Amino acid sequence: MCPDMQEQLGFKVKTISRLLGMHMDRRIHSLGLTGSQGRVLGYLCLKRGEPVRARDVEQQFGFSHPTASGLLQRLAAKGFIVFVPDLDDRRCKRICPTEKALQLNEAIRAQIHCSEQALSAGMSPAELEILRELLDRMIHNLTLPPEKGGICP
């Protein structure tokens, strides 16, 4: 028997994702970025010193080429990234965060920390560990092909 929609795990996970996304988007907006720009900037700062190209951003976030290109151009226009020639492949340009981006990323990380604190308020470390394990198991289950027990076709 199916539980009521609001008791279904997928509904609860989607609700948490939506609320967390709205919360983070509001906080990142206050820093002058869209949610997507903030996530991409965080990724670029994390990968600082590694060769990151537009196609890496496309793959990491599931963006189409025009979407990634536009987002990166807007970050460049705001002074958060620069494009430098790729010495390994002259057809490509590497994307590098600027000092301005690195400073803003610290503010974004602080916002993420606040969100994590709010999200886990009232939970013990043991409960959080169990929750992480269960969520990891759900992620694993959803990435399995149907023949191995994943989501039904």
Side-chain angles (χ1 to χ4, degrees), residues 27 42 98 100 145:
R27 287 178 176 262
T98 62
K100 180 180 176 181

Side-chain angles (χ1 to χ4, degrees), residues 29-81:
H29 242 356
S30 73
L31 299 172
L33 297 174
T34 66
S36 292
Q37 288 172 340
R39 285 185 285 280
V40 169
L41 199 61
Y43 169 75
L44 295 172
C45 289
L46 179 68
K47 296 291 188 177
R48 183 174 152 213
E50 297 178 31
V52 177
R53 299 168 188 89
R55 71 173 173 260
D56 299 319
V57 172
E58 293 167 21
Q59 291 171 350
Q60 177 69 28
F61 295 95
F63 293 155
S64 67
H65 177 72
T67 298
S69 180
L71 188 147
L72 293 169
Q73 290 300 327
R74 286 185 290 282
L75 286 174
K78 292 179 179 184
F80 292 118
I81 62 171

Side-chain angles (χ1 to χ4, degrees), residues 141-153:
N141 291 345
L142 292 173
T143 57
L144 288 174
E147 63 273 7
K148 301 248 181 183
I151 291 207
C152 302

Side-chain angles (χ1 to χ4, degrees), residues 1-146:
M1 181 167 171
C2 251
D4 289 340
M5 184 175 158
Q6 292 184 344
E7 290 303 312
Q8 294 174 358
L9 290 175
F11 180 82
K12 289 186 177 293
V13 170
K14 179 66 175 174
T15 300
I16 291 167
S17 175
R18 183 180 51 79
L19 291 171
L20 188 58
M22 287 171 33
H23 177 75
M24 282 305 299
D25 284 351
R26 260 195 319 272
R27 287 178 176 262
I28 289 174
H29 242 356
S30 73
L31 299 172
L33 297 174
T34 66
S36 292
Q37 288 172 340
R39 285 185 285 280
V40 169
L41 199 61
Y43 169 75
L44 295 172
C45 289
L46 179 68
K47 296 291 188 177
R48 183 174 152 213
E50 297 178 31
V52 177
R53 299 168 188 89
R55 71 173 173 260
D56 299 319
V57 172
E58 293 167 21
Q59 291 171 350
Q60 177 69 28
F61 295 95
F63 293 155
S64 67
H65 177 72
T67 298
S69 180
L71 188 147
L72 293 169
Q73 290 300 327
R74 286 185 290 282
L75 286 174
K78 292 179 179 184
F80 292 118
I81 62 171
V82 292
F83 298 100
V84 298
D86 187 332
L87 301 177
D88 297 329
D89 185 348
R90 296 198 182 269
R91 297 169 298 167
C92 297
K93 293 193 184 240
R94 290 185 181 183
I95 306 162
C96 300
T98 62
E99 189 58 40
K100 180 180 176 181
L102 296 172
Q103 290 172 2
L104 185 66
N105 189 54
E106 288 306 311
I108 292 171
R109 289 171 56 91
Q111 299 290 356
I112 291 169
H113 179 73
C114 287
S115 294
E116 287 284 316
Q117 293 296 108
L119 190 62
S120 61
M123 296 182 202
S124 71
E127 289 172 321
L128 287 171
E129 183 58 31
I130 291 168
L131 178 59
R132 283 185 187 96
E133 290 172 8
L134 293 172
L135 292 171
D136 285 342
R137 194 177 312 163
M138 290 174 150
I139 291 167
H140 173 77
N141 291 345
L142 292 173
T143 57
L144 288 174

